[in-house]
């Protein structure tokens, strides 16, 4: 039986646009964990999953999970899981994460319409939080599903002082933030056949090669930190330059160190995306400066060596300037290689459909990194337009590429074989 799917690409793009209307901001897309917009997006995803013929549950961290149950003739079926996140960065793009939920929902709808059941349970997960915008933690939602939730995170507060525990207690989610409920939301890895994630590439590699799709080889490990430099507040007009203990100029030197150290190795990257002088005034020498630090590399050893050098450098700069510095490690996640047997199943479909089988590493982090801790994972990348820009409202994909990706995914599901 062939499946007529000419409108899948269109449906995916229209739904991405509709979902982007639920936003924490007026003129752009921000969808942070457990805000009203986030809850609306979650409810919308649940409705679309139900419309596609899935049974839906929402777990204790807010993941929306739709199941397309196996053909009743299949004995002891395993679960093939797919999914990605529906939270966003501040003023982000509408496909980052969401493509990996909307595409499989559209595909399941097409399978259902064609009367096709699969010989395994297929689950689509809308992960509630991956970006770390609200509580400065990433992979929160997949860490719950993977049974790796860190209970200490419940005490972490957002910028308004609301803790994650309070946010969950008020959320109406099952368990209301109870640690046992969060633990119980973990999946049993022995029930899983694998985890696959479709994601926009978020870079220019496929675009520059003229390819709509690529297979990910591995996901670069990443470490995030909060750095605090402390000096002494004093008068901007009367304190001589050589008597200052200026936390902001110290931070500036530390940030330049991040840049210069990470520029030494081609696969290493370092970013300071948040920088504040808390309670600063224009006529007061900064007493404190706080910044985030995100360091990534394809090889864990390269990343760890850079971190060691940077932390030592931060201490050296602080001592030279009579500052105090503290470096808090927020989220270390190791490099996650994709499973060759799953990659090959994607490769066989690409080949059969006349695509080049092109493999590339991912520099961005993904929910698959956390799922990798409990089960084999693979990822299908979809070409990103506009020069490959992402984490930016200019992020885009074409309807044709979404269509191609959906057709590949249909074939992948129909030919998927559970590993012996
Ligand atoms: C997620 O988008 C990340 O790579 O930080
Ligand atoms: Mn992202
Ligand atoms: Mn993403």
């Amino acid at each position: 039986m062939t499946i007529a799917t000419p409108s899948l690409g269109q449906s995916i793009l229209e739904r991405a646009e509709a979902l982007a209307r639920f936003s924490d901001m007026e003129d752009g897309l921000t969808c942070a964990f457990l805000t009203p917009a986030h809850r609306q997006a979650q409810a919308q995803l649940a409705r679309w999953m139900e419309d596609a013929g899935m049974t839906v549950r929402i777990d204790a961290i807010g993941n929306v999970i739709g199941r397309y149950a196996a053909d009743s003739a299949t004995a002891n079926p395993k679960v093939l899981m797919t999914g990605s996140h529906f939270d966003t960065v501040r003023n982000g793009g509408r496909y980052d994460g969401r493509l990996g939920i909307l595409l499989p929902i559209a595909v399941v709808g097409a399978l259902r319409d064609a009367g096709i059941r699969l010989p395994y349970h297929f689950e689509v997960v809308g992960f509630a939080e991956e970006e770390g915008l609200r509580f400065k933690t990433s992979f929160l939602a997949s860490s719950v599903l993977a049974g790796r939730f860190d209970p200490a995170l419940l005490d972490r507060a957002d910028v308004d002082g609301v803790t994650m525990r309070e946010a969950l207690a008020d959320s109406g989610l099952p368990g209301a933030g109870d640690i046992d409920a969060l633990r119980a939301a973990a999946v049993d890895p022995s029930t899983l056949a694998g985890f696959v994630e479709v994601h926009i590439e978020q870079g220019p590699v496929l675009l520059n090669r003229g390819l709509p799709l690529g297979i990910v080889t591995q996901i670069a490990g990443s470490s995030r930190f909060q750095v605090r430099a402390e000096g002494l507040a004093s008068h901007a007009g009367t304190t001589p330059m050589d008597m200052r203990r200026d936390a902001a100029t110290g931070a500036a030197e530390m940030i330049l160190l991040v840049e210069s150290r990470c520029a030494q190795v081609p696969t290493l990257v370092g970013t300071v995306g948040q920088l504040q002088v808390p309670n600063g005034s224009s006529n007061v020498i900064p007493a404190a400066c706080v910044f985030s630090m995100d360091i990534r590399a394809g090889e864990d050893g390269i990343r760890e060596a850079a971190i060691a050098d940077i932390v030592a450098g931060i201490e050296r700069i602080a001592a030279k300037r009579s500052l105090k510095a503290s470096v808090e490690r927020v989220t270390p996640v190791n490099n996650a290689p994709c499973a060759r047997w799953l990659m090959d199943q994607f490769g066989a479909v690409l080949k059969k459909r006349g695509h080049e089988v092109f493999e590339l590493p991912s520099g961005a982090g993904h929910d698959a990194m956390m799922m990798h801790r409990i089960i084999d994972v693979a990822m299908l990348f979809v070409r990103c337009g506009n020069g490959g820009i992402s984490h930016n409202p200019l992020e885009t994909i074409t309807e044709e590429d979404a269509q191609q990706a959906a057709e590949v995914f249909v074939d992948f599901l129909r030919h998927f074989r559970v590993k012996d």
Side-chain angles (χ1 to χ4, degrees), residues 78-123:
K78 287 212 168 195
V79 179
L80 176 66
M81 199 176 253
T82 191
S84 195
H85 57 99
F86 62 93
D87 69 320
T88 70
V89 293
R90 187 170 287 113
N91 200 18
R94 60 180 60 157
Y95 306 102
D96 177 3
R98 290 148 176 237
L99 178 65
I101 312 168
L102 298 175
L103 184 146
I105 293 176
V107 162
V108 169
L111 291 173
R112 190 267 323 266
D113 291 349
I116 296 170
R117 312 277 333 170
L118 300 165
Y120 49 86
H121 296 309
F122 180 54
E123 287 195 346

Side-chain angles (χ1 to χ4, degrees), residues 85 96 130-131 202 391:
H85 57 99
D96 177 3
E130 187 261 9
E131 302 282 12
Q202 306 185 274
H391 283 183

Side-chain angles (χ1 to χ4, degrees), residues 136 223-230 246-259 270-278 288-295 310-311 313-315 317-318 321 323-330:
K136 295 193 174 33
S223 296
R224 291 191 195 162
F225 301 83
Q226 285 292 310
V227 184
R228 184 178 179 89
E230 280 179 31
D246 183 334
T249 51
E253 196 177 337
M254 294 167 189
I255 294 166
L256 288 174
L257 169 68
V258 174
E259 184 185 52
T271 305
V272 173
Q274 291 170 320
L275 172 67
Q276 284 122 20
V277 176
C289 189
V290 185
F291 61 93
S292 63
M293 198 165 74
D294 176 313
I295 298 175
I310 289 167
V311 171
I314 286 174
E315 281 162 8
I317 293 164
R321 291 173 166 269
L323 304 172
K324 268 203 327 216
S326 62
V327 181
E328 185 198 352
R329 195 182 264 246
V330 182

Side-chain angles (χ1 to χ4, degrees), residues 206-277:
L206 294 174
L207 187 66
N208 291 345
R209 292 185 72 105
L211 298 174
L213 302 169
I215 299 170
V216 175
T217 52
Q218 61 155 356
I219 311 166
S222 66
S223 296
R224 291 191 195 162
F225 301 83
Q226 285 292 310
V227 184
R228 184 178 179 89
E230 280 179 31
L232 184 68
S234 60
H235 200 289
T238 59
T239 315
M241 294 307 285
D242 62 352
M243 287 180 62
R244 296 176 177 221
R245 292 170 56 203
D246 183 334
T249 51
E253 196 177 337
M254 294 167 189
I255 294 166
L256 288 174
L257 169 68
V258 174
E259 184 185 52
S260 60
R261 178 60 180 82
C262 292
Q264 285 172 14
V265 185
T267 57
L268 181 66
V269 286
T271 305
V272 173
Q274 291 170 320
L275 172 67
Q276 284 122 20
V277 176

